[in-house]
Amino acid sequence: MTGGPAADLTIDRLHGSLDDPAFESMNLLNEVSADFPDAISFAAGRPHEGFFDLDEVAGHVERFRDHLRRRFGGDETLVRRTLLQYGRTKGIIHDLVARSLAVDEKIDVDPEAVVVTVGCQEALYVTLRALRRDERDVLVVPRPCYVGVTGAAGLVEMPLVPVTETSAGIDPDEVARVVLAAKAAGRRPRALYVVADFANPTGASLDREARERLLDLAAEHDFLILEDNPYGVFHDGTERPPTFKALDRDRRVVYLGSFAKTGVAGARVGYVVADQRVSDGAGGTALLADQLAKIKSMLTVNTSPLAQAVIGGKLLANDYSLRAANERERRVYQRNLRQVLDGLAARFPAGSEPRVGWNVPAGGFFVVLDLPFPAGDELLRDCARTHGVLWTPMHHFHGQAEPLSRIRLSFSSLTSEQIEVGLDRLAAFVHARCAT
Amino acid sequence: MTGGPAADLTIDRLHGSLDDPAFESMNLLNEVSADFPDAISFAAGRPHEGFFDLDEVAGHVERFRDHLRRRFGGDETLVRRTLLQYGRTKGIIHDLVARSLAVDEKIDVDPEAVVVTVGCQEALYVTLRALRRDERDVLVVPRPCYVGVTGAAGLVEMPLVPVTETSAGIDPDEVARVVLAAKAAGRRPRALYVVADFANPTGASLDREARERLLDLAAEHDFLILEDNPYGVFHDGTERPPTFKALDRDRRVVYLGSFAKTGVAGARVGYVVADQRVSDGAGGTALLADQLAKIKSMLTVNTSPLAQAVIGGKLLANDYSLRAANERERRVYQRNLRQVLDGLAARFPAGSEPRVGWNVPAGGFFVVLDLPFPAGDELLRDCARTHGVLWTPMHHFHGQAEPLSRIRLSFSSLTSEQIEVGLDRLAAFVHARCAT
């Protein structure tokens, strides 16, 4: 063959989402972590590794295999086919997921409305892909917001309409104003994305009244609520309000589920509950779940049945209760949360300089700190190098490049010792920074 | 809460791809298979199940675990973290995949240019998502074509420009004409999707001259070649021409790989090799693989490391050669192919009525039949009910609703006995149909 010009591309010929700050955020934060492997990291919202056990995982697969044997009356060919062949697009543990939702959350759904996905991120993508028909369709999101939401919306070119989220959560009145303004501008707010319990990054939770108010608004203004619930299990032991989905009376809520924190992160299994009925305009109706499955069939075909077996076996081992399965983890996260809060109070006493503030969430993985100076990516790199501690600049969750005077601390994957040393380093960094 | 209107949606408010015939095809074919579970199915292009072995799969995971142990100098914490925690977006078996490509295909790539994906379908999606910037960007595809390509393009709203594929393959001259015509119409043909060996559904292969000609065209007209190679391993034992990627001298080829047929379908692991250099317009360059990884991070975050361990272990067990690992399977597929071809010749002798023709591929999973009558979805259902045999109407691969007088027979997952009985039933169906 003849030598043509070099095949190199330029970024301005690739999809615009690749320029989106959300995509850069994920990348940049991974890079900083990789560049400072020995720093103590308050950056990654990863599950605790203390109970990781490969033999237990193998046991989960065996347990699910036995479950299939019983289901198929001992037919080993069917067992092997179910685990090793291409499989059902909507998944093979949909029934176990539905039972788990009934046991843990009193959510009552038809297993056929469950689509098992490659983590919650794929659940989010397929839902947004379905809802974004043209440029008028928009998604209402809290600001600050988990960057994966911004990213999935970017892939389908769905504009975001922000509502402010503080550590007290989002304000239903603002949601109503924002939705009306979007409609007045010719846009169609198709859904509100919300984490009702211990949101990322704010740690905020919504009380029952706010949840019911938002459900009313969804009905009044014809939008869906996309409820993402990765942290609800990790509470402080006091009674929680019901999830949006448990309160949902007229199928306004699409429920996004993750097993990354409660199951096994390395299985990459999540799901979406979409029991909405979709009319085909010719008299027929189907579940929204079936439309989402059509999208999934063109994206990942089906979720690895071997990966599903890990989660299925864990559900079987715990009588379908992820709350029961995660009691040890819940205690660790609560201990870490209290240790971070107490540690901050000891290092930054009220009324003293430098003035550092923080919120007090009741659960989840995150605490947000207010600092007396803007803390962006450059300062993060600086802090990692000179003080050996990592955190997440909050501007990433606002989809903006300018630094804010806020950072997010994740405490989920740290040990007690790491938290103590990490907070010491963080305090030294803040003092040093304020002294310059 | 007050009861709002029912939350039901209408399909015309959901994404347009859900109306795409490709999405309906997948669904409809699955439905027919589910409705006639006892029919002999020439419809599904699934791997042979005769060698499925769950203990062998567990052994692969163990072998990969040992491999990690050695890599991490016995640090079990790192081994557990690699397999059970969130992981590297581009994957953990990228190096093994690169070695396998060197051993089997003489393709020499930097492991950093490999992105491990959730099956080849995700590889295709992330590639098309990156290339489709605006409505001018189009994809050149063979017609007929695997519906997964049409589907992934539909998700990113990338128009398709067809070139005819016969059992002799695609014609480079037609590709040149089509690309020039698209450019003249203000469009940007970004890539040509092609299966060079035993294409689905035509069974066609391209000779070396056609491959080099197409590479020249890609250089001349500045488009990429997306080479998908799921069936190349399943040849007839005669020498194959090198893959496009092995012939690629100036990074014109993005190589899409699948382990569904050669590894373990239930692991759902594939990959993309994208060694193109992308300039950021500010003097920096990165691999296209890194841009694809950014998209993947917003789609599925990372491919299950437990699923990757299955494939990694299988590669290790076979000195990185999937050709060696699949010698048994290759013989089965070749035996089935010959049995189908001989069986057709015995049942529809040359010169006799009804006139039935077929192509004679040298490998792969598929044979295409020409029938003396149009064979669409209704007739398929009819045939399944009255004759107990399934096949795939070819119109699905043309993205059209009107039936063609052609059907695709898959023989990959059938036993010898099933093929004999299935061909008898098919012959009875054709005779009955011609008698009416």
Side-chain angles (χ1 to χ4, degrees):
Chain A
M1 63 170 288
T2 61
D8 294 353
L9 301 152
T10 53
I11 193 85
D12 63 359
R13 294 290 295 274
L14 300 181
H15 190 238
S17 65
L18 290 165
D19 286 329
D20 189 295
F23 286 66
E24 285 303 327
S25 290
M26 205 78 115
N27 231 28
L28 180 133
L29 296 170
N30 285 339
E31 260 175 43
V32 177
S33 294
D35 289 350
F36 301 97
D38 297 327
I40 288 179
S41 178
F42 286 108
R46 298 178 155 211
H48 178 68
E49 298 179 352
F51 306 122
F52 276 9
D53 184 340
L54 277 159
D55 296 329
E56 190 179 271
V57 167
H60 291 330
V61 175
E62 271 309 306
R63 191 173 302 105
F64 188 74
R65 189 175 166 180
D66 286 338
H67 166 78
L68 289 180
R69 262 188 205 116
R70 285 191 300 277
R71 180 192 291 176
F72 296 134
D75 186 333
E76 290 290 337
T77 302
L78 279 182
V79 173
R80 284 194 297 268
R81 179 176 298 155
T82 303
L83 290 171
L84 300 181
Q85 186 55 282
Y86 284 101
R88 183 174 176 273
T89 307
K90 291 200 286 185
I92 59 170
I93 59 166
H94 55 302
D95 50 341
L96 307 185
V97 171
R99 284 186 73 163
S100 167
L101 285 169
V103 167
D104 280 338
E105 305 291 348
K106 299 189 175 55
I107 294 173
D108 180 31
V109 290
D110 178 358
E112 285 297 320
V114 175
V115 184
V116 181
T117 53
V118 181
C120 189
Q121 189 66 29
E122 191 192 32
L124 186 58
Y125 175 89
V126 296
T127 306
L128 296 186
R129 177 65 293 176
L131 292 179
R132 196 286 194 189
R133 184 173 177 91
D134 63 41
E135 64 287 349
R136 290 170 292 179
D137 298 306
V138 299
L139 178 68
V140 183
V141 293
R143 178 152 296 170
C145 183
Y146 167 55
V147 293
V149 179
T150 319
L155 291 180
V156 302
E157 300 176 4
M158 190 173 199
L160 301 178
V161 173
V163 291
T164 308
E165 181 167 298
T166 67
S167 54
I170 54 173
D171 173 7
D173 289 336
E174 188 187 350
V175 173
R177 280 196 304 275
V178 152
V179 164
L180 284 173
K183 285 188 168 185
R187 299 185 134 185
R188 300 188 293 223
R190 298 300 300 274
L192 165 69
Y193 172 85
V194 64
V195 177
D197 292 289
F198 322 124
N200 175 10
T202 62
S205 295
L206 295 173
D207 61 23
R208 181 171 179 144
E209 192 192 334
R211 296 175 198 219
E212 295 194 331
R213 190 67 216 296
L214 287 166
L215 281 166
D216 286 348
L217 285 175
E220 188 181 338
H221 298 294
D222 192 22
F223 62 84
L224 294 170
I225 289 177
L226 309 187
E227 176 176 33
D228 188 3
N229 187 17
Y231 308 110
V233 165
F234 307 119
H235 56 79
D236 62 359
T238 60
E239 207 188 335
R240 305 290 313 152
T243 61
F244 276 100
K245 191 61 191 165
L247 294 169
D248 185 24
R249 279 167 189 71
D250 53 0
R251 302 185 299 279
R252 279 283 152 201
V253 180
V254 173
Y255 187 87
L256 305 166
S258 166
F259 293 110
K261 280 86 182 178
T262 55
V264 173
R268 292 298 307 131
V269 176
Y271 61 94
V272 50
V273 178
D275 56 1
Q276 288 70 26
R277 293 186 296 220
V278 180
S279 130
D280 64 9
T285 59
L287 288 169
L288 178 58
D290 289 308
Q291 301 295 335
L292 302 185
K294 280 159 73 175
I295 292 172
K296 178 176 170 66
S297 75
M298 298 305 182
L299 202 64
T300 59
V301 183
N302 59 267
T303 304
S304 164
L306 289 167
Q308 292 182 71
V310 173
I311 303 302
K314 185 162 182 176
L315 289 171
L316 290 166
N318 291 279
D319 291 330
Y320 309 100
S321 174
L322 288 172
R323 295 193 178 269
N326 283 277
E327 186 53 26
R328 291 179 312 183
E329 285 81 354
R330 190 184 75 76
R331 289 175 193 276
V332 168
Y333 297 137
Q334 282 288 317
R335 182 202 69 197
N336 285 4
L337 170 58
R338 276 191 298 271
Q339 198 186 341
V340 167
L341 294 174
D342 294 347
L344 288 170
R347 287 165 182 85
F348 303 105
S352 74
E353 294 291 333
R355 299 252 166 166
V356 173
W358 55 88
N359 65 335
V360 183
F365 281 18
F366 310 109
V367 168
V368 175
L369 248 68
D370 284 307
L371 299 175
F373 49 82
D377 298 333
E378 263 187 73
L379 199 58
L380 167 62
R381 206 166 259 285
D382 212 46
C383 174
R385 189 169 28 239
T386 55
H387 290 89
V389 62
L390 295 170
W391 33 267
T392 309
M394 277 288 279
H395 72 85
H396 288 288
F397 305 103
H398 289 257
Q400 65 177 57
E402 314 85 76
L404 295 165
S405 303
R406 290 195 147 171
I407 64 175
R408 187 194 74 175
L409 300 187
S410 311
F411 48 78
S412 48
S413 62
L414 299 176
T415 63
S416 274
E417 296 68 36
Q418 288 173 319
I419 290 175
E420 283 311 304
V421 177
L423 289 179
D424 282 344
R425 293 179 181 183
L426 186 71
F429 157 71
V430 173
H431 280 277
R433 180 75 194 164
C434 290
T436 59
Chain B
M1 62 169 287
T2 60
D8 296 352
L9 301 151
T10 53
I11 193 83
D12 63 359
R13 294 289 295 274
L14 300 181
H15 190 239
S17 65
L18 291 165
D19 285 330
D20 189 295
F23 286 66
E24 285 303 328
S25 289
M26 207 79 115
N27 231 27
L28 180 132
L29 297 170
N30 285 338
E31 258 176 44
V32 177
S33 294
D35 289 350
F36 301 96
D38 297 328
I40 288 178
S41 178
F42 286 107
R46 299 179 153 210
H48 177 67
E49 297 178 353
F51 306 122
F52 277 8
D53 184 339
L54 277 160
D55 296 329
E56 190 179 272
V57 167
H60 290 330
V61 175
E62 270 310 304
R63 190 174 303 104
F64 188 74
R65 190 175 166 180
D66 285 340
H67 167 78
L68 289 180
R69 261 189 206 116
R70 284 191 301 276
R71 180 192 292 176
F72 297 134
D75 186 332
E76 290 291 336
T77 302
L78 280 182
V79 173
R80 284 194 297 269
R81 179 176 299 155
T82 303
L83 290 172
L84 300 182
Q85 186 56 282
Y86 284 101
R88 182 174 176 274
T89 307
K90 292 200 286 183
I92 59 171
I93 60 167
H94 54 302
D95 51 340
L96 308 186
V97 171
R99 283 185 74 162
S100 167
L101 285 170
V103 168
D104 279 338
E105 305 290 349
K106 299 189 175 55
I107 294 174
D108 180 31
V109 289
D110 179 358
E112 284 299 319
V114 175
V115 184
V116 181
T117 54
V118 181
C120 189
Q121 189 66 29
E122 191 192 31
L124 186 58
Y125 175 89
V126 296
T127 306
L128 297 186
R129 176 67 294 176
L131 293 178
R132 195 286 195 189
R133 184 173 177 90
D134 63 40
E135 64 288 348
R136 288 170 293 179
D137 299 307
V138 299
L139 178 69
V140 183
V141 293
R143 177 151 298 169
C145 183
Y146 167 55
V147 292
V149 179
T150 320
L155 290 180
V156 301
E157 300 176 4
M158 190 172 198
L160 302 178
V161 174
V163 291
T164 307
E165 182 167 298
T166 66
S167 53
I170 55 173
D171 173 7
D173 289 336
E174 189 187 351
V175 172
R177 281 196 303 275
V178 152
V179 164
L180 284 173
K183 286 187 165 185
R187 301 186 133 183
R188 299 188 294 223
R190 299 299 300 274
L192 164 70
Y193 171 86
V194 64
V195 177
D197 292 290
F198 322 124
N200 175 11
T202 62
S205 296
L206 295 173
D207 61 23
R208 180 171 178 143
E209 192 193 333
R211 296 175 197 217
E212 295 194 332
R213 192 62 217 298
L214 287 167
L215 280 166
D216 285 348
L217 285 175
E220 189 181 337
H221 299 294
D222 193 20
F223 62 85
L224 295 170
I225 290 177
L226 310 187
E227 177 176 32
D228 188 4
N229 187 17
Y231 308 109
V233 165
F234 306 119
H235 56 79
D236 62 0
T238 61
E239 207 187 335
R240 306 288 316 153
T243 61
F244 277 99
K245 191 62 191 165
L247 294 169
D248 185 24
R249 278 169 190 69
D250 54 0
R251 301 185 300 277
R252 279 283 152 202
V253 180
V254 173
Y255 187 85
L256 306 166
S258 166
F259 293 111
K261 280 86 181 178
T262 55
V264 174
R268 292 299 307 134
V269 176
Y271 62 93
V272 51
V273 178
D275 56 1
Q276 288 70 26
R277 293 188 295 222
V278 180
S279 130
D280 64 9
T285 59
L287 287 169
L288 179 58
D290 289 308
Q291 300 296 334
L292 302 186
K294 280 160 73 176
I295 292 172
K296 178 175 169 66
S297 74
M298 299 304 182
L299 201 65
T300 60
V301 183
N302 60 267
T303 304
S304 164
L306 289 167
Q308 291 182 70
V310 173
I311 302 302
K314 184 161 180 174
L315 289 171
L316 290 166
N318 290 279
D319 290 330
Y320 310 99
S321 174
L322 288 172
R323 294 191 179 271
N326 283 278
E327 186 53 24
R328 292 179 311 183
E329 285 81 356
R330 191 185 75 76
R331 288 175 192 277
V332 168
Y333 297 137
Q334 282 288 317
R335 181 202 69 199
N336 284 4
L337 170 58
R338 276 191 297 272
Q339 198 187 340
V340 166
L341 295 173
D342 295 346
L344 288 170
R347 287 165 181 85
F348 303 105
S352 75
E353 294 292 334
R355 298 253 165 166
V356 173
W358 55 89
N359 66 335
V360 183
F365 281 17
F366 311 108
V367 168
V368 175
L369 248 67
D370 284 307
L371 299 175
F373 49 83
D377 299 333
E378 263 188 74
L379 199 59
L380 167 61
R381 208 166 257 285
D382 212 46
C383 174
R385 189 167 31 238
T386 56
H387 291 89
V389 62
L390 295 169
W391 33 268
T392 308
M394 277 289 280
H395 72 86
H396 288 288
F397 304 104
H398 289 258
Q400 64 178 58
E402 314 85 77
L404 295 165
S405 303
R406 289 194 147 172
I407 64 174
R408 187 194 75 176
L409 300 186
S410 312
F411 47 77
S412 49
S413 62
L414 299 176
T415 62
S416 274
E417 297 68 36
Q418 288 172 319
I419 290 175
E420 284 311 303
V421 177
L423 290 179
D424 281 345
R425 292 180 182 183
L426 187 72
F429 157 71
V430 172
H431 280 277
R433 180 75 193 162
C434 289
T436 59

